[in-house]
Amino acid sequence: MLELDLHKHFDNFHIQLQCSISHPFTAIFGASGAGKTTLLNMIAGLTNPNRGKIILETKILFDSDRGISIRPQHRRIGYIFQESRLFPHMSIRENILYGLKNLPKSEQRFQEKDVVETLGIGMLLDRTPKGLSGGERQRCALARALLASPSLLLMDEPMAALDRRTKLQFLHFLKQVQHDYALPILYVSHDVDNVLSFADDVLVMESGTRVAQGKPINVLSQTIRSRFPKSTDSTNYISAHIVEHRIEDGQSVVQSNGVSVCIPLIDKPVQSHVTLSLHTSEIMVSLHRPKQISARNVLEGIVQKITLRETRVLLTVDVGFSMSVDIARAALVDLNLQTGTTVFLIF
């Protein structure tokens, strides 16, 4: 449990935030300049609020009324930045063991062997940071933070410079770390896909204040679409649960509002909740149900809304849940699409 009551004033910006964070993996979402990094810095002790309180579990980290301000190195909080900040003159082994120097054995929560194995960095230990990829450096930075035995891990867009494949790998490591070590994580992200993939809870910030907090799929549909349309306008997010695995076909079947959708086979039990992410441009529209095609999903629906853009059109189609589809203006004319038209979505 993290209790926050923060007031921080700058010349042209101020943070006024009151909230409780109690989920194991919480994402902090918001546009640039919303105050996300400043929030992490205050929790870590790198920046002090003008007034307020920060309480982690039962430990008071900051209390302006009582004159309490625990120094950063005594807060036992790990911090992973956008860049790894590894010491260039040290080997990876020396880097990851750096946080152990002043830590009594009785307070060491994690063992070097276990962390190295979990993060898959054994072959990197004798190397220096210079020749490592971005993903390798961030895994080593994560190992260094873990071996300092933090009670909370802060992460400020640690995957911003990584490609999509490396991001997915790093997310896998984060999930495994959170599961294996039961370590609460507070994670700043601009990426809606990432938030939906790993977060148990999301705190949305705007102009230094909290504008929403809750389950990611709910906050996404109720708040993020209206406040941050550029983050979500090109992607459909669908809350569903697994109903069947077709191992021989390499597919899983999920349902949302009773509508079945085939997806690539995933390693989760039947009845598990999943969030589907489907780009609006990856969907084809037909006036008739197609036959003998390779696409595994054909959903019948009714056009609810037509939004004209410069050269494109965004359709809102009700298939049992709402889906957005991006098509060319010429296609709108050729298919004579109107609100109320029955269509088939293919993907």
Side-chain angles (χ1 to χ4, degrees):
M1 174 68 75
L2 182 66
E3 295 282 350
L4 302 174
D5 181 5
L6 303 174
H7 301 264
K8 180 67 176 178
H9 301 281
F10 300 94
D11 290 340
N12 56 358
F13 178 77
H14 68 273
I15 288 180
Q16 190 168 348
L17 181 73
Q18 289 181 306
C19 68
S20 297
I21 296 173
S22 58
H23 289 79
F25 218 139
T26 300
I28 310 296
F29 185 89
S32 297
K36 304 182 299 298
T37 297
T38 302
L39 170 61
L40 294 195
N41 287 342
M42 287 191 286
I43 295 171
L46 304 181
T47 300
N48 274 338
N50 296 111
R51 60 185 176 88
K53 295 180 182 180
I54 303 173
I55 303 174
L56 179 58
E57 297 298 344
T58 58
K59 184 177 182 179
I60 300 175
L61 303 182
F62 181 86
D63 188 329
S64 56
D65 292 339
R66 299 169 64 177
I68 297 174
S69 181
I70 304 298
R71 299 179 69 181
Q73 62 268 35
H74 297 140
R75 294 194 180 195
R76 299 290 295 277
I77 292 176
Y79 202 151
I80 309 293
F81 300 89
Q82 289 188 15
E83 63 283 354
S84 63
R85 301 196 183 184
L86 296 171
F87 300 117
H89 63 289
M90 293 183 179
S91 69
I92 294 303
R93 177 176 278 107
E94 291 171 326
N95 264 283
I96 69 173
L97 295 178
Y98 186 82
L100 285 174
K101 291 195 306 180
N102 300 313
L103 189 66
K105 271 192 172 297
S106 60
E107 297 182 16
Q108 294 179 15
R109 295 181 58 198
F110 314 129
Q111 300 301 313
E112 177 188 355
K113 179 183 177 182
D114 295 335
V115 170
V116 167
E117 183 177 340
T118 298
L119 296 178
I121 59 172
M123 74 295 293
L124 306 176
L125 296 178
D126 295 325
R127 298 173 60 181
T128 59
K130 184 177 180 181
L132 303 187
S133 68
E136 289 171 334
R137 286 195 296 269
Q138 289 298 59
R139 277 188 278 152
C140 294
L142 179 55
R144 181 175 63 181
L146 290 176
L147 287 174
S149 295
S151 53
L152 173 67
L153 186 60
L154 308 178
M155 310 192 81
D156 187 7
E157 287 280 10
M159 300 188 295
L162 306 183
D163 59 52
R164 180 172 176 79
R165 181 179 178 182
T166 308
K167 283 182 181 180
L168 291 174
Q169 291 174 337
F170 191 69
L171 272 176
H172 171 75
F173 287 119
L174 280 184
K175 289 181 179 180
Q176 189 170 343
V177 165
Q178 206 288 315
H179 178 268
D180 291 351
Y181 300 120
L183 177 65
I185 296 176
L186 198 56
Y187 188 106
V188 165
S189 178
H190 292 89
D191 191 319
V192 175
D193 283 344
N194 288 345
V195 172
L196 287 167
S197 295
F198 65 76
D200 304 300
D201 197 59
V202 58
L203 170 66
V204 182
M205 292 184 65
E206 189 175 275
S207 302
T209 64
R210 180 186 70 167
V211 294
Q213 186 176 1
K215 189 176 180 180
I217 190 67
N218 296 335
V219 172
L220 172 73
S221 59
Q222 297 171 9
T223 304
I224 297 180
R225 281 195 186 278
S226 61
R227 291 180 177 270
F228 308 101
K230 289 184 179 180
S231 299
T232 60
D233 202 34
S234 62
T235 308
N236 292 284
Y237 296 102
I238 305 158
S239 180
H241 65 277
I242 300 171
V243 295
E244 182 186 358
H245 292 302
R246 298 173 180 171
I247 298 175
E248 64 282 358
D249 295 332
Q251 294 183 334
S252 296
V253 180
V254 303
Q255 281 190 352
S256 179
N257 283 1
V259 178
S260 295
V261 176
C262 289
I263 64 173
L265 186 67
I266 58 174
D267 185 18
K268 280 192 172 185
V270 170
Q271 294 304 318
S272 295
H273 173 265
V274 293
T275 300
L276 308 185
S277 171
L278 181 64
H279 200 279
T280 57
S281 64
E282 294 177 340
I283 306 168
M284 295 182 65
V285 179
S286 173
L287 292 178
H288 307 283
R289 182 180 294 276
K291 297 179 180 179
Q292 295 181 313
I293 59 171
S294 61
R296 296 297 83 195
N297 295 289
V298 178
L299 303 183
E300 182 176 353
I302 304 294
V303 177
Q304 299 289 312
K305 184 179 179 181
I306 299 174
T307 304
L308 300 179
R309 296 176 170 177
E310 292 182 1
T311 59
R312 308 290 296 178
V313 176
L314 190 70
L315 303 179
T316 303
V317 181
D318 181 4
V319 296
F321 48 84
S322 182
M323 289 189 69
S324 297
V325 187
D326 179 79
I327 63 173
R329 282 209 175 198
L332 179 72
V333 176
D334 289 345
L335 297 176
N336 191 27
L337 295 177
Q338 303 174 30
T339 54
T341 301
T342 297
V343 294
F344 295 87
L345 304 188
I346 308 160
F347 54 94

